[in-house]
Amino acid sequence: MKLEQNYSLKQYNTFRLQVKTRWFMEYDSEEELLKILQDEYFQENCSLHIGTGSNLLFLNDFNGIILHSAIKGISLERETDEFVFLRIGASELWDNVVAYAVKKGWGGIENLSLIPGETGAAAVQNIGAYGVEIKDVVECIETYNQLTFEKKLFSKEACKYGYRKSIFKDEHSDPHIITYVNIRLAKQPSFLLEYGDLKKYLVSEREPTLADVREAVIAVRKSKLPDPAELGNAGSFFMNPIVLYSKFEDLKNKFGEFPHYKVSEIEFKIPAAWLIEQCGLKGKWHGEVGISEKQALIIVNKGGATGHEIALFAESVRNIVNDKFGIELVPEVKYIG
Ligand SMILES: Cc1cc2nc3c(=O)[nH]c(=O)nc-3n(C[C@H](O)[C@H](O)[C@H](O)COP(=O)(O)OP(=O)(O)OC[C@H]3O[C@@H](n4cnc5c(N)ncnc54)[C@H](O)[C@@H]3O)c2cc1C
């Protein structure tokens, strides 16, 4: 187990903010986690379990205990003629899992290539890209209840997955710490290539392989998203809003045709990037904070911004979009502090 005091979180948040935590604890096994959860000092202090911090915005130093898993590993639990079943340690980097699956020839997650973060967090967030979400392959999630210390397995249905939503994000249910994620992958992959510019990047004439698709996804992402190693960011800052039919019609009358995705007969998802771009905010800066020139949904830190400055900037973006379209953007990024 690792225990550090006044520990810098610069490597644990992709905005690259210079924040510290009073305590940083990292456990290697479920047994160690259980000991921490049952510790009186731990229970008396506020705590937060993090992955790599690629979806977090620290507003201040963290005056409590940051908990981090070091449980890694990908094991093949069983297989059938059609599927393989993998058990993955929560702190395994998600993109390593995708690379491993692609190398083995197992399909289902190749469209989720290059998404930053750990596998446990991926299951919390229900990460998604190019028409695929992790929920599509989840079999069950292994967790510990932070209050009762019991181990509990959540089936895919019990995870209550939705767009960037799961029971693990629900403030009204008991906090659960994910230790392992179990997924099912196909031995005969079928590809989903209709989203984004994927087809444009599939250069070969022949039938694409898993490796081709992964390569195309990586190429599209690199062309469209700023790299947090160069420019601090947390990916999409806001969720894509879902509006009702009446609002959708109202917007069409005012602004003409615009990109959208039909969620149901009465609900339409609108790209938040489009809304922000229409407000003329793409590439705009205020001091050290700005909107990426590559992608209007990404708020970036040139290097010297504080969490507060980023939050204030995000608030001004929300206000401008709300004034123009009457739509309240909801942050996808989690504010801490
Ligand atoms: C450049 C960039 C591109 C991105 N692209 C995408 C994308 O295409 N699609 C997408 O969906 N997301 C995307 N993201 C967002 C981010 O990668 C995901 O949300 C990712 O799953 C976060 O992983 P993390 O390990 O960094 O988690 P963190 O940000 O550290 O934590 C995220 C949440 O998970 C909780 N958590 C972490 N570990 C555990 C655990 N073991 N048990 C319980 N709770 C836990 C935390 O408390 C927090 O609520 C992008 C981010 C960046 C920076």
Side-chain angles (χ1 to χ4, degrees):
M1 191 191 309
K2 174 170 164 179
L3 176 64
E4 303 279 351
Q5 196 171 5
N6 292 326
Y7 190 70
S8 168
L9 293 174
K10 191 154 183 228
Q11 297 308 318
Y12 286 92
N13 78 96
T14 54
F15 271 119
R16 302 288 172 240
L17 298 169
Q18 304 265 15
V19 283
K20 280 185 180 170
T21 173
R22 196 153 139 234
W23 293 103
F24 182 87
M25 289 176 117
E26 189 175 70
Y27 55 90
D28 295 304
S29 63
E30 291 187 328
E31 293 69 30
E32 277 187 7
L33 170 63
L34 208 49
K35 268 193 206 148
I36 293 173
L37 296 183
Q38 289 171 339
D39 181 81
E40 254 178 49
Y41 185 78
F42 180 81
Q43 289 164 16
E44 283 163 8
N45 281 272
C46 79
S47 63
L48 172 72
H49 199 299
I50 64 164
T52 64
S54 61
N55 199 55
L56 305 178
L57 176 61
F58 285 97
L59 301 177
N60 303 299
D61 286 343
F62 191 75
N63 189 21
I65 303 164
I66 291 283
L67 199 54
H68 185 245
S69 166
I71 300 179
K72 289 196 185 289
I74 307 173
S75 61
L76 175 62
E77 294 294 294
R78 64 189 176 95
E79 59 186 302
T80 62
D81 289 346
E82 282 179 273
F83 299 109
V84 291
F85 296 82
L86 305 182
R87 183 175 188 242
I88 305 153
S91 84
E92 194 66 58
L93 286 179
W94 172 252
D95 195 50
N96 287 350
V97 180
V98 181
Y100 176 83
V102 166
K103 203 166 164 200
K104 290 282 190 184
W106 299 329
I109 52 175
E110 55 285 351
N111 288 24
L112 302 179
S113 289
L114 211 65
I115 298 182
E118 297 177 358
T119 304
V124 171
Q125 306 285 90
N126 187 22
I127 54 165
Y130 306 108
V132 176
E133 290 177 323
I134 195 175
K135 77 162 170 49
D136 302 334
V137 297
V138 161
E139 277 291 292
C140 96
I141 307 293
E142 298 177 42
T143 72
Y144 277 83
N145 184 315
Q146 202 169 328
L147 303 179
T148 64
F149 319 131
E150 279 163 345
K151 176 149 187 167
K152 179 168 173 181
L153 269 56
F154 286 78
S155 66
K156 184 213 292 254
E157 292 68 34
C159 291
K160 297 192 179 158
Y161 281 127
Y163 168 53
R164 303 291 179 277
K165 245 180 23 189
S166 71
I167 193 160
F168 311 112
K169 282 180 103 173
D170 183 351
E171 286 163 13
H172 302 295
S173 44
D174 277 5
H176 283 85
I177 290 171
I178 295 177
T179 50
Y180 289 94
V181 173
N182 292 269
I183 63 172
R184 182 185 80 165
L185 298 176
K187 286 182 170 174
Q188 303 291 327
S190 58
F191 300 114
L192 194 57
L193 306 170
E194 308 311 318
Y195 288 77
D197 288 338
L198 279 193
K199 274 195 177 150
K200 218 165 80 186
Y201 281 81
L202 280 167
V203 279
S204 168
E205 295 286 301
R206 61 179 157 74
E207 271 292 293
T209 62
L210 280 169
D212 294 336
V213 176
R214 175 165 162 80
E215 226 173 86
V217 171
I218 289 175
V220 180
R221 292 184 68 95
K222 283 192 169 165
S223 73
K224 296 207 163 146
L225 304 176
D227 179 354
E230 289 160 15
L231 208 51
N233 74 85
S236 304
F237 198 95
F238 300 104
M239 299 216 267
N240 292 318
I242 294 173
V243 299
L244 291 175
Y245 181 73
S246 53
K247 178 74 189 174
F248 176 71
E249 282 294 298
D250 184 35
L251 290 172
K252 243 174 40 180
N253 290 337
K254 276 194 196 142
F255 301 100
E257 283 301 324
F258 58 87
H260 64 273
Y261 166 74
K262 197 170 173 182
V263 179
S264 70
E265 280 312 309
I266 53 160
E267 291 172 312
F268 297 81
K269 196 188 271 182
I270 303 176
W274 181 81
L275 298 170
I276 295 169
E277 212 170 330
Q278 294 305 300
C279 294
L281 294 171
K282 194 173 178 182
K284 287 275 184 286
W285 287 88
H286 183 80
E288 292 287 297
V289 192
I291 293 203
S292 166
E293 272 148 30
K294 286 183 169 180
Q295 228 293 0
L297 196 45
I298 300 189
I299 294 183
V300 288
N301 172 15
K302 241 187 226 174
T306 64
H308 261 288
E309 284 163 350
I310 294 172
L312 279 177
F313 184 83
E315 189 56 25
S316 71
V317 172
R318 290 182 73 201
N319 289 338
I320 292 168
V321 169
N322 201 2
D323 287 348
K324 186 169 169 92
F325 294 103
I327 293 178
E328 280 213 23
L329 293 179
V330 175
E332 183 176 325
V333 168
K334 181 171 171 165
Y335 290 30
I336 313 293

